[in-house]
């Protein structure tokens, strides 16, 4: 009986570790290594953009040019909102691609050479969040003869998604990001609902950032930054601390 319970605990722990790893791979660090306990109240004393830039500057002190041009980061368009994008370290993204290939190798999938072409000739040469069909085929052709099955494989693997407006255009995508996107959407709704239920539709930031969301893998600080940055929530300085309020417009 004890062994069954222990096995169940181990499976749960492994799932939690995998979910945590996925979250960390698409979420840039919000704190420096010398200040892991910096509260959201402290960081919101300046703009979130400035905080992010200062953290990134400390982490990459010798890079003068755009991190995207230097192939350190990639930007991905998300389907959770018109202006939603994800920023991911390139090496983390390539690790995700390798995981996809490994799973397909185990299933004896054919045409796997396209993934190496994709990494070497497409990802290495195209930093934009999207690519058109003709350019995609052209870049892939540097690796070998391109077939329709190759592009279908990239789509099925979650590395490309077709644009709804123009089927000849693709968005670059992050594989296995579904649970994160679901948590992002549900976490937004849950947090807004929480603040909307408060008197005057406002709540002090300090106790709010300590609450846990039931429907999202992402923590409260992530969702607070997200909704404050998008304008759905705003902060107000008060004598007792920073207040979070639902925006009226």
């Amino acid at each position: 009986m004890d062994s069954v319970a222990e096995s169940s605990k181990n499976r749960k722990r492994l799932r939690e570790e995998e979910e945590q790893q996925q979250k960390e791979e698409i979420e840039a660090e919000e704190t420096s290594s010398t200040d892991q306990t910096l509260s959201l109240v402290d960081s919101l004393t300046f703009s979130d953009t400035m905080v992010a830039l200062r953290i990134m500057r400390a982490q990459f002190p010798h890079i003068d040019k755009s991190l995207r041009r230097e192939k350190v980061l990639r930007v991905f368009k998300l389907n959770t909102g018109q202006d939603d994008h994800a920023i991911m370290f390139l090496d983390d993204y390539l690790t995700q691609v390798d995981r996809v290939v490994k799973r397909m190798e185990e299933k004896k999938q054919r045409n796997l050479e396209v993934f190496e072409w994709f990494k070497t000739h497409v990802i290495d040469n195209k930093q934009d969040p999207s690519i058109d069909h003709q350019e995609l085929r052209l870049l892939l052709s540097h690796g070998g003869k391109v077939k329709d099955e190759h592009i279908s494989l990239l789509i099925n693997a979650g590395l490309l998604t077709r644009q709804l407006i123009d089927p000849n255009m693709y968005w670059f995508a992050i594989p296995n990001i579904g649970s994160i996107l679901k948590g992002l959407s549900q976490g937004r709704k849950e947090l807004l609902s929480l603040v909307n239920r408060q008197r005057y539709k406002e709540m002090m930031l300090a106790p709010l950032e300590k609450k846990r969301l039931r429907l999202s893998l992402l923590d409260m600080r992530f969702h607070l930054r997200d909704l404050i940055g998008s304008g759905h929530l705003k902060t107000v300085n008060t004598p007792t601390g920073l207040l979070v309020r639902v925006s009226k417009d």
Side-chain angles (χ1 to χ4, degrees), residues 103-116:
R103 286 196 297 270
M104 290 192 168
E105 286 175 342
E106 294 170 352
K107 296 178 180 179
K108 309 299 183 182
Q109 180 72 51
R110 299 173 57 187
N111 299 314
L112 296 184
E113 64 274 4
V114 71
F115 291 101
E116 192 60 38

Side-chain angles (χ1 to χ4, degrees), residues 23-70:
K23 178 178 73 172
E24 290 173 351
E25 286 176 351
I26 68 165
E27 182 180 348
E29 293 182 11
E30 294 181 347
T31 58
S32 69
S33 58
T34 57
D35 187 9
Q36 295 295 328
T37 59
L38 179 66
S39 73
L40 188 59
V41 177
D42 296 328
S43 65
L44 284 174
T45 55
F46 9 81
S47 76
D48 282 340
T49 301
M50 184 59 70
V51 173
L53 289 174
R54 287 179 178 176
I55 292 172
M56 293 171 74
R57 182 180 63 187
Q59 292 173 333
F60 301 97
H62 304 299
I63 295 179
D64 329 322
K65 300 178 182 178
S66 162
L67 292 174
R68 188 169 63 174
R69 287 202 306 271
E70 292 294 317

Side-chain angles (χ1 to χ4, degrees), residues 5 27 50 78 119 136 160 176 178-179 182 188-189 208:
E27 182 180 348
M50 184 59 70
L78 302 180
K119 289 196 302 182
L136 175 63
L160 295 172
N176 306 312
S179 62
K182 182 179 179 181
R188 285 172 172 173
K189 294 176 182 177
L208 179 58

Side-chain angles (χ1 to χ4, degrees), residues 97-137:
V97 176
D98 291 339
R99 288 177 182 172
V100 170
V101 175
K102 184 177 180 180
R103 286 196 297 270
M104 290 192 168
E105 286 175 342
E106 294 170 352
K107 296 178 180 179
K108 309 299 183 182
Q109 180 72 51
R110 299 173 57 187
N111 299 314
L112 296 184
E113 64 274 4
V114 71
F115 291 101
E116 192 60 38
W117 303 349
F118 184 74
K119 289 196 302 182
T120 304
H121 304 294
V122 180
I123 294 300
D124 199 49
N125 291 287
K126 186 72 173 179
Q127 280 79 50
D128 295 338
S130 63
I131 187 171
D132 66 54
H133 183 78
Q134 184 176 357
E135 185 178 11
L136 175 63
R137 289 188 69 98

